[in-house]
Amino acid sequence: MKNWILCCCIFIFNTAWAVDINAASMAELQTLKGVGPKLAETIYLERQKSSFKSEEDLLERVKGLGKVKLAKLLKQGLKIPASENTAAQVIYPRPVKPVKKMVEIK
């Protein structure tokens, strides 16, 4: 029972914790796995020029950030407020496997 309660608390904390890329400090950005001091500084400096408007804008302006890493950060709670599509699947969809030809059984 205690483990179940602990798991629920962790889940709630993780889903409630969001890092707004247009408002987060460098320290807050580094709480995301995969964001170190250099990437956090790059994001921070680019944001000083103007806020990020979409995932595409973020990818174009921040060197060292690719689609795969951005998808992982979005899953961890990174938010781009002006963006309409913040789901990781939108930016990095899984490849579709081809369907095998079905054989009719008589």
Side-chain angles (χ1 to χ4, degrees), residues 34-66:
V35 178
K38 186 168 177 103
L39 183 57
E41 181 181 15
T42 304
I43 292 169
Y44 184 80
L45 292 174
E46 278 296 320
R47 185 181 71 207
Q48 295 301 328
K49 297 175 185 174
S50 67
S51 61
F52 296 106
K53 296 177 181 26
S54 66
E55 287 97 352
E56 292 79 20
D57 182 34
L58 181 65
L59 288 170
E60 287 175 13
R61 292 170 46 195
V62 177
K63 293 184 190 263
L65 185 64

Side-chain angles (χ1 to χ4, degrees), residues 74-86:
L74 291 171
K75 285 182 181 180
Q76 291 182 58
L78 181 70
K79 299 294 178 204
I80 305 172
S83 176
E84 295 176 10
N85 302 319
T86 55

Side-chain angles (χ1 to χ4, degrees), residues 11-27:
F11 176 76
I12 290 169
F13 178 75
N14 284 338
T15 56
W17 184 261
V19 177
D20 180 350
I21 195 152
N22 289 324
S25 67
M26 287 180 24

